Amino acid sequence: MRNWREKNQHLLIEVPEPFDFKVNLDYLQREPNECMYEIEADMITCVIEINHVRTLIRISAVDNEYIDIECLNGTMPKLLADKEAIVDYICDWFDLDTDLVPFYEMGCQDPLLKHPIESFYGLRNIGLNNLFEALCWGILGQQINLKYAYRLKRQFVEKFGDSLDYNDKKYWIFPSFDKISALTIDDLADIKMTTKKSEYIIDVAKLMKSGLLTKEKLLNFEDFKQAEQELTRIRGIGPWTANYVLMRCLRYPTAFPIDDVGLINAIKLLLGLERKPTKEEIRALSSNWTNWESYATFYLWRMLY
DNA sequence: AGCCAGGAGATTT
DNA sequence: AAATCTCATGGC
């Protein structure tokens, strides 16, 4: 676990090097319709669940040396284990335990990664800690533009999620698989995702409720290919969604959504191509990214959005 | 107005 | 196996 300490009801986590809080904050606030957290005055406010207790936290940075976590409403847990759980959550979310130096050493000589690395130096692969949320977000976002995907997510969250109120604002908690598993397609009808997507999301919720699909299980595979296979066996989860979730939630460094249009368009942009690169061309261009495919994808996406 | 969107499953060839 | 169709709505 990273070094951290408590001071005046705040938790202070030492950040790794390289890390740039502002760059990560810019990533988090790139979408105005994001509904899972609020960002104001360089502070992130959101709800996290620690041992089934909902805690409203505010995250900021102290001179880019510490990440500062304040528990609002006097919700700082008493137990050391719960404080550590908050620290763990933040380390996971901001991917603080990955040593980025080898990525930058590789990437600074890579024709595709050179520019993104210079532009977003200190950016981490910001995660989606909640597996159900990551799966829903992946399924819901298939084959639609991102703006619309964020609208669908907001509708889904505001209809089926809970929220905490603080200073006249609502802070949302992503709907639980427990709740969604009990729904029918009709319940999801006024959220305008396709009927198929509604089916897939309810089925995934049922699978998670059954206990057959857990983060622990997906993390315990030797090889990410096995985890990928475990996911793609599920209806509605193809290679793109599987790799997206393995990258953003399970954090397999070799996860690589190679068919992603964002990745394709970022490469097209960076190389100034008239047409989209083929899959074979992308394979060739990414051949030196071994064990950093996930980070490379994240940085290339950032060039577009 | 018309193509495209951070795809996947089903169907046809 | 590989190509094609369908889902379906909105962004630009």
Side-chain angles (χ1 to χ4, degrees):
Chain A
M1 172 176 283
R2 303 201 63 76
N3 280 336
W4 67 278
R5 67 172 194 272
E6 184 173 359
K7 184 183 172 189
N8 301 334
Q9 296 288 306
H10 290 233
L11 305 179
L12 297 174
I13 307 172
E14 277 184 26
V15 304
E17 184 63 36
F19 177 82
D20 187 327
F21 186 74
K22 188 67 170 71
V23 168
N24 290 282
L25 199 67
D26 287 344
Y27 166 79
L28 286 167
Q29 59 190 343
R30 76 202 186 293
E31 169 53 52
N33 201 25
E34 171 63 59
C35 60
M36 296 309 295
Y37 48 80
E38 297 281 340
I39 298 180
E40 201 175 7
D42 289 352
M43 297 186 295
I44 308 160
T45 308
C46 62
V47 182
I48 65 174
E49 294 195 84
I50 301 298
N51 294 327
H52 307 292
V53 176
R54 290 165 176 176
T55 304
L56 187 62
I57 61 169
R58 178 158 285 169
I59 306 162
S60 56
V62 181
D63 299 330
N64 199 46
E65 289 175 18
Y66 299 94
I67 291 179
D68 180 313
I69 305 156
E70 180 184 4
C71 297
L72 303 177
N73 273 343
T75 52
M76 173 68 81
K78 304 263 187 296
L79 293 177
L80 175 63
D82 290 342
K83 293 172 187 173
E84 286 178 343
I86 295 176
V87 171
D88 276 340
Y89 185 95
I90 299 301
C91 291
D92 190 11
W93 193 16
F94 287 87
D95 196 37
L96 298 182
D97 292 326
T98 297
D99 180 11
L100 280 188
V101 172
F103 173 59
Y104 286 169
E105 284 174 351
M106 178 278 286
C108 70
Q109 304 180 48
D110 185 281
L112 282 174
L113 299 178
K114 190 173 185 302
H115 181 41
I117 286 173
E118 286 167 1
S119 300
F120 304 110
Y121 193 84
L123 175 66
R124 299 271 154 177
N125 174 4
I126 305 292
L128 294 168
N129 291 13
N130 177 331
L131 176 60
F132 183 57
E133 179 182 344
L135 287 163
C136 288
W137 178 231
I139 291 169
L140 180 150
Q142 290 165 6
Q143 182 59 21
I144 58 175
N145 66 70
L146 270 170
K147 296 283 182 195
Y148 184 44
Y150 276 102
R151 278 182 53 194
L152 292 180
K153 181 171 83 163
R154 178 178 285 280
Q155 290 174 34
F156 183 68
V157 169
E158 293 188 350
K159 182 156 174 127
F160 300 109
D162 295 332
S163 63
L164 295 185
D165 291 333
Y166 180 75
N167 284 355
D168 296 326
K169 270 193 174 171
K170 282 190 182 304
Y171 294 91
W172 291 97
I173 298 137
F174 197 82
S176 66
F177 55 77
D178 204 62
K179 180 164 188 175
I180 302 306
S181 68
L183 300 181
T184 65
I185 296 169
D186 288 342
D187 295 323
L188 288 169
D190 45 336
I191 295 165
K192 293 186 176 176
M193 55 184 155
T194 64
T195 312
K196 289 287 180 198
K197 287 183 184 177
S198 299
E199 274 178 36
Y200 299 155
I201 284 176
I202 292 170
D203 285 351
V204 165
K206 286 177 177 165
L207 190 60
M208 289 194 69
K209 185 178 166 65
S210 78
L212 291 173
L213 178 65
T214 64
K215 204 166 168 177
E216 291 66 36
K217 184 175 179 184
L218 290 171
L219 282 171
N220 283 331
F221 287 107
E222 281 288 310
D223 178 9
F224 109 97
K225 280 286 169 194
Q226 291 175 280
E228 182 186 35
Q229 192 174 33
E230 182 76 11
L231 283 171
T232 53
R233 287 198 315 205
I234 301 167
R235 244 169 63 87
I237 301 179
W240 178 85
T241 309
N243 278 274
Y244 182 82
V245 170
L246 291 169
M247 166 183 167
R248 299 289 313 281
C249 182
L250 291 315
R251 301 180 169 295
Y252 282 83
T254 49
F256 190 28
I258 192 168
D259 297 310
D260 179 81
V261 287
L263 179 71
I264 292 167
N265 286 332
I267 293 173
K268 180 178 172 220
L269 174 75
L270 281 163
L271 298 182
L273 304 177
E274 294 290 321
R275 54 168 180 81
K276 290 182 174 180
T278 65
K279 198 174 198 172
E280 286 63 39
E281 288 170 327
I282 298 177
R283 278 194 213 291
L285 289 163
S286 62
S287 61
N288 290 324
W289 299 353
T290 311
N291 291 324
W292 292 104
E293 289 88 345
S294 152
Y295 254 93
T297 303
F298 198 77
Y299 271 67
L300 288 171
W301 277 341
R302 194 71 187 90
M303 292 302 294
L304 295 179
Y305 182 68

